């Protein structure tokens, strides 16, 4: 069986209040994106890594790799207009069958153990999507400005990796883009596939705001 990882790095960094795209911000001395690729390179299944990046950032990334002596093998792929199109571009670069994990570039604390579990579960069930139960109370915003409480025991916070048999994800991504497609699970589900959930980890945070970067540094030191 062949294994692949599509790392989606299309964030602009606007909510980070920084001119540099968030995947390039430094976490403990090197770009966030490098930590993410290192996690996948540490997976025992040795997946081939495809990095989907805005075409205008390719040269900058290559300069960063030289500056940090970063040598983990990976293939650079041109990013698309939306995340949907970026993943689709990544899929086009994969020939044949296998298992592919799609992961957010700005989840640098994903563990090789979770990556391995996602590959194994997708191989057994066709797909595997990481998720954790919420700890906060949750409310739904209604159209008239009111809110209503939801049962948090019926909810999950979805993470990446989201891992699929390649033929399933290829079929799902043949359909046109819809605004409801916020991740690969939503694309596959709309195509009629049942989503299989595996337990994610609390440490697998998505770096979106400045305080997330500080938290990631703390968590990384704690885990080392």
């Amino acid at each position: 069986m062949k294994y692949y990882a599509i790392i989606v790095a299309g964030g602009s960094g606007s909510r980070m209040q920084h001119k540099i795209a968030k995947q390039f911000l430094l976490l403990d001395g090197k770009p966030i994106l490098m930590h993410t690729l290192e996690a996948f390179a540490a997976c025992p299944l040795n997946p081939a890594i495809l990095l989907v990046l805005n075409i205008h950032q390719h040269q900058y990334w290559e300069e960063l790799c030289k500056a940090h002596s970063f040598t983990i093998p990976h293939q650079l792929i041109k990013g698309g207009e939306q995340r949907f199109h970026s993943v689709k571009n990544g899929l086009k670069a994969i020939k044949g069958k296998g298992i592919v994990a799609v992961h957010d570039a700005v989840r640098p604390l994903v563990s090789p153990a979770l990556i391995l579990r996602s590959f194994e579960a997708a191989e057994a069930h066709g797909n595997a999507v990481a998720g954790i139960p919420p700890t906060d109370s949750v409310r739904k915003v209604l159209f008239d400005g009111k809110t209503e409480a939801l049962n948090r025991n019926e909810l999950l916070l979805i993470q990446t990796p989201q891992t699929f048999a390649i033929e399933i994800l290829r079929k799902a991504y043949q359909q046109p883009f819809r605004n409801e497609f916020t991740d690969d699970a939503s694309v596959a589900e709309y195509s009629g596939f049942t989503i299989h959930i595996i337990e994610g980890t609390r440490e697998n945070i998505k770096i979106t705001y400045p305080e997330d970067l500080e938290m990631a540094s703390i968590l990384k030191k704690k885990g080392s």
Side-chain angles (χ1 to χ4, degrees), residues 30-67:
K30 63 184 173 186
I32 290 169
L33 183 51
M34 291 183 182
H35 293 278
T36 305
L37 267 62
E38 286 174 347
F40 278 85
C43 175
L45 296 177
N46 193 28
I49 300 173
L50 294 84
L51 174 57
V52 187
L53 194 62
N54 185 304
I55 189 65
H56 300 296
Q57 297 173 337
H58 282 204
Q59 183 177 347
Y60 181 59
W61 169 246
E62 290 170 353
E63 291 170 356
L64 284 175
C65 288
K66 290 179 181 178

Side-chain angles (χ1 to χ4, degrees), residues 32-111:
I32 290 169
L33 183 51
M34 291 183 182
H35 293 278
T36 305
L37 267 62
E38 286 174 347
F40 278 85
C43 175
L45 296 177
N46 193 28
I49 300 173
L50 294 84
L51 174 57
V52 187
L53 194 62
N54 185 304
I55 189 65
H56 300 296
Q57 297 173 337
H58 282 204
Q59 183 177 347
Y60 181 59
W61 169 246
E62 290 170 353
E63 291 170 356
L64 284 175
C65 288
K66 290 179 181 178
H68 291 269
S69 300
F70 187 76
T71 58
I72 287 175
H74 61 280
Q75 180 180 353
L76 267 180
I77 306 293
K78 179 183 177 182
E81 182 180 352
Q82 305 283 348
R83 184 186 190 279
F84 176 92
H85 304 101
S86 290
V87 174
K88 194 169 183 177
N89 287 352
L91 285 170
K92 288 178 182 177
I94 298 174
K95 309 301 179 184
K97 296 181 179 181
I99 307 293
V100 58
V102 184
H103 187 70
D104 298 324
V106 289
R107 290 187 188 270
L109 302 187
V110 61
S111 68

Side-chain angles (χ1 to χ4, degrees), residues 137-142 146-155:
S137 295
V138 183
R139 299 188 68 85
K140 179 180 180 180
V141 178
L142 304 176
K146 296 180 181 179
T147 65
E148 66 178 15
L150 298 179
N151 184 352
R152 67 184 176 193
N153 295 323
E154 298 176 350
L155 301 173

